[in-house]
Amino acid sequence: MTEVDSGDIQERCKNADTAFAIYFYTPICGTCGVAEKMLEVIEATMTALPLYKCNINFAPDLAREWKIESVPCLSLIEAGACSRKVYAMRSVPDLYNVLKPLMNKET
């Protein structure tokens, strides 16, 4: 996953022609590390889906604007806006099913 900051995210949302996902985390969160490993598996199988990650410590304004309640948080972006937030990273198959509708979805 490519690391992005809040400026990158806002730019990507403004110029979004396809759907994508952003994984918000903090480096000291153990659950975030497990979720990231699962998302790396997803990324390897869904190569056409843009998937980014952002250390929420460096995006406090965006966290407030999007009302991100906790980490890990997977934000699905459609039409340049957050359409859904997922906080429970249960399993690779579960995350695959969450992200599959975004595949090749133009906004």
Side-chain angles (χ1 to χ4, degrees):
M1 283 180 282
T2 302
E3 183 85 31
V4 293
D5 61 23
S6 60
D8 294 329
I9 293 168
Q10 290 171 341
E11 189 65 29
R12 290 176 198 283
C13 286
K14 187 169 39 171
N15 298 318
D17 57 350
T18 59
F20 61 96
I22 305 168
Y23 168 65
F24 290 96
Y25 73 98
T26 61
I28 61 170
C29 168
T31 305
C32 294
V34 172
E36 186 168 345
K37 297 275 188 224
M38 289 190 285
L39 288 168
E40 287 170 355
V41 172
I42 299 293
E43 185 177 38
T45 60
M46 299 176 101
T47 57
L49 177 67
L51 184 57
Y52 305 100
K53 67 180 183 176
C54 179
N55 182 339
I56 202 152
N57 292 322
F58 299 121
D61 293 338
L62 188 60
R64 277 190 294 277
E65 180 184 334
W66 287 7
K67 298 180 174 119
I68 295 173
E69 299 168 10
S70 65
V71 291
C73 177
L74 183 63
S75 297
L76 310 184
I77 311 301
E78 298 179 86
C82 181
S83 62
R84 180 178 175 194
K85 292 177 280 198
V86 177
Y87 295 101
M89 314 285 167
R90 293 181 179 93
S91 66
V92 171
D94 183 59
L95 287 172
Y96 182 87
N97 289 330
V98 165
L99 292 168
K100 189 174 180 181
L102 295 183
M103 287 294 294
N104 302 319
K105 189 173 196 178
E106 294 189 14
T107 57

